[in-house]
Amino acid sequence: MTNIDYGNKHFLVVDNIEQSRNTLKIFAYSLGAMKVDSSHHAPEIMSLCDEIKFDVILLGYDLGEDKKNGQQILEELRARQMISRHCTIVMITAEVSQAMVLAALEHKPDEYLAKPYTLNDLSTRLSRCFQKKDAMLNIYKAMDADNFQKVLLLCERLITQNSTYKTECLGIKSRQHFELAQFDQAREIYDAYLGAPNCQWAAIGLGKIALVENDFDLAIHYFSAVVDSNPLYLSAYDWLAKAYKLTQQPNLAEDVLEKALLISPRSVLRLKNYADLCVSNENFDKATYALSKTNELAYHSVHKKPENALLFVEALLEYAENLSTFQVRKLNNKGFKALTDMVKDFSSAELKIHSQLLTARLHHKANEAQLAKENLKDAERLLSRFKYQLSTSGTIAIAKSLIALQRAAYAQNLLNELAQANPDNTELLSQIAALLGKPLRESDKIAAQNALEVGNNLYRVNHYSLAIDKLNKALVHFPNHIGIKLNLLQVLLVSFDANNERNSDLVLAEELIKEFSKLRSDSESYKRFMKLNDKYISIKKDLAEDK
């Protein structure tokens, strides 16, 4: 094995135990390193990585109870782009459970070393890493600079040389083609390596191309095949769930992510996606657990944010409808703690108001009327002082809680003022109108959901006129539902594209497009609308050319 010159390599040693830190520092110096830093405090580690471009980070996993662990530090370093691809990360841990190992590996350390280990083992791993890093150095630099064309050129050079790292170069090259929307070139690579050992990335790549091309059945086939043959290949579950969501099969998407979380339960993003699906599927028992776990795991990570606590408590309030008073009070303690920690860590008047209202609602669910009344009074006192400092989303959330606490008149005043301040925001006005409208009966919800599901099923089998009829019936029950309107717009455009004599479809589509044109560019619905608008423009262009 080629000798590595460590004289110009800058090391960072991260370990919670002083003796282990010292041992690793001595090891680094024994290799010839001249610059070695060490720490076990997360803020100091972040500060060091912000100032210094380290070549090697020997990263311990366990850094103390109730503190960031090595996985969370690595995730944050990557998210904040504080380390380059050329930096070698060796994760060192005494824990070897499947959940821990898979969670750590998802953030791609270069090597994973379990205690007890020998310094000779560590030296061998480092040498192997640096041989690869040196061979791939220029490619990694081009990737860090987002120079796609140079990445392609350099990868091709190593591939033609039949490099030891040919397979990795092929994977990188195919992903660059995908990012550049050069799907035929990417597909050619994926097809060539589909089914080869350790080339699950090829099937994932073909599935992603199928998604882009709206061939959802083919995408599901590829992702399912990877899940079935490689159940520890976790990204396949994420893509399969996405495909099911795009085909309006949220229950299947939920099931897929649930299976992934049984294998690797420590991914915050996967937990959050799963929880969102549980909420949309009204499985509030599962949503409550998943959001509680999300809030817990995110607390020391880059994903820490107030929404984690808020969403957990909102799911808990829904779940409480099916629980006894004793069960509610027991779960409420977790909710109270989540809200208390949130207000302590993210101090703002809006969050304090929101927290007080949610606390009042939790007490109300537990039949603790006096406590609920006290929290409501505190919230209203703060609200009278700070209501003009609330964000749009905060106002909506606070209004919802006020309505739930029988303060509808107060909520209406807040929402009316918000509407007056945003007269051209169609999506927001639709939300406000829905909040101020009469609550839907359960029979209405069921009828609308049935109409929506039937409409989507009819669309998938090309019965467009029947699908349009069913989606219009769903809109009778949910006249302001953006998602139903987007589904309807999609069916109308596809229907007219299939039969240009259905002029009424195009007329109705144009009315919806005028309504959607006022969507905010940062709204969740905007990207989907823009894709549909591109299709509408294409249809109009074809019509003009035919004249």
Side-chain angles (χ1 to χ4, degrees):
M1 190 170 285
T2 306
N3 290 326
I4 307 296
D5 179 10
Y6 289 100
N8 61 349
K9 308 297 185 190
H10 201 150
F11 278 67
L12 174 61
V13 173
V14 178
D15 199 291
N16 190 45
I17 301 171
E18 184 177 5
Q19 183 180 350
S20 297
R21 284 200 306 276
N22 290 336
T23 298
L24 289 172
K25 286 170 67 176
I26 293 169
F27 163 75
Y29 286 126
S30 74
L31 292 175
M34 304 297 291
K35 295 175 287 187
V36 182
D37 289 292
S38 67
S39 179
H40 65 286
H41 296 295
E44 185 180 13
I45 293 165
M46 293 299 158
S47 179
L48 284 168
C49 289
D50 191 37
E51 296 172 5
I52 301 168
K53 298 302 179 187
F54 288 103
D55 300 291
V56 182
I57 300 179
L58 304 179
L59 183 57
Y61 179 84
D62 183 4
L63 302 179
E65 190 175 348
D66 202 30
K67 293 181 180 179
K68 283 184 188 291
N69 59 40
Q71 172 204 323
Q72 292 166 331
I73 285 175
L74 178 54
E75 182 179 18
E76 185 167 349
L77 288 173
R78 294 209 189 282
R80 292 169 59 183
Q81 298 183 330
M82 297 175 73
I83 50 175
S84 70
R85 287 178 172 84
H86 191 62
C87 180
T88 295
I89 311 289
V90 179
M91 182 78 75
I92 301 173
T93 178
E95 185 181 346
V96 291
S97 68
Q98 176 176 283
M100 182 269 148
V101 173
L102 289 175
L105 292 179
E106 283 200 76
H107 299 294
K108 297 181 172 55
D110 295 284
E111 287 286 350
Y112 180 88
L113 199 57
K115 297 179 180 179
Y117 63 90
T118 67
L119 294 179
N120 187 56
D121 288 337
L122 180 54
S123 178
T124 300
R125 303 284 186 97
L126 280 177
S127 181
R128 185 166 63 198
C129 286
F130 272 108
Q131 283 190 320
K132 178 181 177 181
K133 297 279 185 179
D134 288 346
M136 302 284 288
L137 175 61
N138 292 329
I139 294 173
Y140 290 158
K141 284 183 176 179
M143 290 173 72
D144 285 334
D146 291 328
N147 189 337
F148 297 134
Q149 295 300 334
K150 189 172 182 179
V151 171
L152 290 171
L153 177 66
L154 293 171
C155 281
E156 184 59 30
R157 187 175 298 167
L158 280 186
I159 292 167
T160 56
Q161 293 171 0
N162 205 25
S163 163
T164 304
Y165 311 108
K166 175 181 177 180
T167 300
E168 179 165 350
C169 288
L170 285 164
I172 293 171
K173 184 180 177 184
S174 60
R175 288 192 293 275
Q176 299 300 300
H177 281 310
F178 183 89
E179 292 297 325
L180 294 168
Q182 297 170 347
F183 300 126
D184 287 341
Q185 293 95 318
R187 185 185 285 109
E188 184 178 348
I189 296 172
Y190 293 140
D191 280 334
Y193 286 85
L194 184 65
N198 300 316
C199 284
Q200 294 85 1
W201 52 267
I204 296 291
L206 288 169
K208 288 166 64 178
I209 293 173
L211 278 187
V212 171
E213 296 176 345
N214 294 325
D215 191 342
F216 298 117
D217 289 341
L218 183 59
I220 289 170
H221 165 75
Y222 281 125
F223 300 142
S224 296
V226 176
V227 167
D228 291 341
S229 59
N230 301 274
L232 299 184
Y233 203 89
L234 293 166
S235 66
Y237 295 86
D238 300 325
W239 283 107
L240 181 56
K242 183 174 183 178
Y244 281 137
K245 282 178 68 177
L246 289 171
T247 53
Q248 308 299 323
Q249 300 179 83
N251 288 311
L252 289 177
E254 179 187 321
D255 291 343
V256 166
L257 291 185
E258 188 169 313
K259 290 174 183 175
L261 289 167
L262 288 173
I263 298 168
S264 179
R266 299 188 186 184
S267 168
V268 173
L269 292 179
R270 188 172 297 116
L271 261 171
K272 178 61 170 57
N273 288 336
Y274 170 69
D276 289 344
L277 284 165
C278 291
V279 170
S280 66
N281 293 333
E282 298 188 1
N283 291 327
F284 294 112
D285 54 341
K286 293 180 178 180
T288 300
Y289 172 79
L291 287 166
S292 173
K293 199 68 179 174
T294 299
N295 188 53
E296 176 189 325
L297 290 174
Y299 193 80
H300 292 293
S301 81
V302 72
H303 303 294
K304 180 180 180 179
K305 52 188 177 181
E307 287 79 6
N308 296 330
L310 297 174
L311 290 171
F312 161 52
V313 174
E314 287 167 3
L316 174 55
L317 286 165
E318 294 285 354
Y319 181 34
E321 296 291 339
N322 303 312
L323 300 176
S324 68
T325 300
F326 172 77
Q327 290 172 313
V328 171
R329 289 179 178 176
K330 188 175 178 181
L331 279 173
N332 274 2
N333 289 329
K334 283 191 173 183
F336 296 144
K337 184 180 185 307
L339 293 173
T340 300
D341 289 343
M342 176 197 73
V343 170
K344 179 184 68 176
D345 296 330
F346 301 94
S347 180
S348 79
E350 181 176 303
L351 289 176
K352 287 177 182 176
I353 295 166
H354 201 168
S355 175
Q356 291 283 12
L357 290 171
L358 289 174
T359 300
R361 291 173 64 187
L362 289 172
H363 282 307
H364 181 73
K365 294 289 185 185
N367 293 326
E368 297 166 339
Q370 184 57 37
L371 292 172
K373 186 177 180 180
E374 290 171 8
N375 284 115
L376 178 56
K377 280 186 176 180
D378 289 341
E380 289 179 332
R381 194 178 300 116
L382 283 170
L383 193 51
S384 65
R385 290 177 56 198
F386 298 107
K387 70 175 183 177
Y388 296 112
Q389 298 178 23
L390 302 180
S391 67
T392 298
S393 60
T395 303
I396 292 288
I398 286 168
K400 287 180 180 178
S401 281
L402 287 169
I403 291 169
L405 291 165
Q406 309 302 312
R407 290 294 194 271
Y410 203 151
Q412 184 166 349
N413 288 334
L414 281 177
L415 293 172
N416 285 340
E417 290 177 5
L418 185 62
Q420 291 167 13
N422 298 273
D424 300 322
N425 189 332
T426 306
E427 188 172 22
L428 176 60
L429 295 177
S430 175
Q431 274 186 282
I432 292 171
L435 274 175
L436 294 177
K438 293 181 180 179
L440 291 167
R441 295 171 298 172
E442 192 62 31
S443 59
D444 290 332
K445 291 183 181 180
I446 293 171
Q449 187 62 31
N450 286 343
L452 181 57
E453 289 179 2
V454 172
N456 291 335
N457 288 334
L458 289 167
Y459 167 70
R460 283 196 286 272
V461 294
N462 302 331
H463 292 320
Y464 302 129
S465 59
L466 292 174
I468 291 167
D469 180 61
K470 287 294 182 183
L471 290 171
N472 274 317
K473 286 181 178 178
L475 280 176
V476 171
H477 299 281
F478 287 98
N480 300 305
H481 197 295
I482 301 294
I484 295 175
K485 289 183 178 181
L486 284 168
N487 283 7
L488 177 58
L489 176 58
Q490 180 174 344
V491 180
L492 289 167
L493 292 173
V494 173
S495 175
F496 181 80
D497 203 22
N499 182 0
N500 289 357
E501 294 183 2
R502 292 182 58 87
N503 290 320
S504 60
D505 290 347
L506 191 60
V507 171
L508 182 52
E510 288 171 341
E511 290 178 7
L512 288 170
I513 284 171
K514 286 179 183 177
E515 182 179 338
F516 286 133
S517 65
K518 295 180 180 179
L519 282 173
R520 290 168 52 190
S521 60
D522 61 347
S523 71
E524 294 182 6
S525 307
Y526 185 76
K527 287 184 180 179
R528 185 180 174 199
F529 163 63
M530 291 306 295
K531 289 182 180 179
L532 293 173
N533 192 49
D534 288 343
K535 183 171 183 63
Y536 167 74
I537 292 170
S538 175
I539 288 172
K540 294 291 285 185
K541 182 179 179 182
D542 290 343
L543 289 173
E545 291 175 352
D546 290 341
K547 288 183 179 180

